[in-house]
Amino acid sequence: MEYEPSHETLAAIAARHGTTAEKVRRILPGGANQVFSLGDDLVLRIPRTKRLLRDLVKETAVISRLGGSGLMSRTSRQSRAWRALPPV
């Protein structure tokens, strides 16, 4: 079953990261995720299904090891945002 985040969920995540629901825009999806911009500086990736969450968490761990390029802080935000989603 594919997860579709509600407007309220997206608004809450946007607010947590200092932006508004009006700035949330759906952009091209990845293979395992739905992708939203949260204004000009942040991207939110939400797994399509519970099964795909593991793939995205693994990807987050790999990206965070790259370090030094600003990816670590963005990755940390993504990881915390995933945990805030309601169960699938």
Side-chain angles (χ1 to χ4, degrees):
M1 181 168 109
E2 199 162 304
Y3 177 74
E4 182 63 38
S6 69
H7 175 77
E8 292 78 17
T9 297
L10 292 171
I13 293 170
R16 188 174 304 134
H17 296 287
T19 191
T20 64
E22 291 75 26
K23 292 187 179 180
V24 175
R25 300 283 180 261
R26 185 181 297 268
I27 55 180
L28 292 175
N33 58 70
Q34 300 175 67
V35 184
F36 299 86
S37 67
L38 303 180
D40 295 331
D41 299 324
L42 295 173
V43 172
L44 172 65
R45 296 169 50 205
I46 298 176
R48 293 182 183 283
T49 67
K50 187 174 183 175
R51 182 183 62 78
L52 295 170
L53 175 62
R54 185 173 27 166
D55 294 342
L56 296 178
V57 170
K58 186 187 324 179
E59 182 180 285
T60 298
V62 170
I63 291 171
S64 69
R65 289 191 180 116
L66 295 175
S69 62
L71 291 174
M72 229 184 277
S73 62
R74 290 187 182 132
T75 301
S76 297
R77 289 181 187 175
Q78 287 177 350
S79 181
R80 286 194 305 269
W82 292 337
R83 291 185 194 116
L85 294 173
V88 175

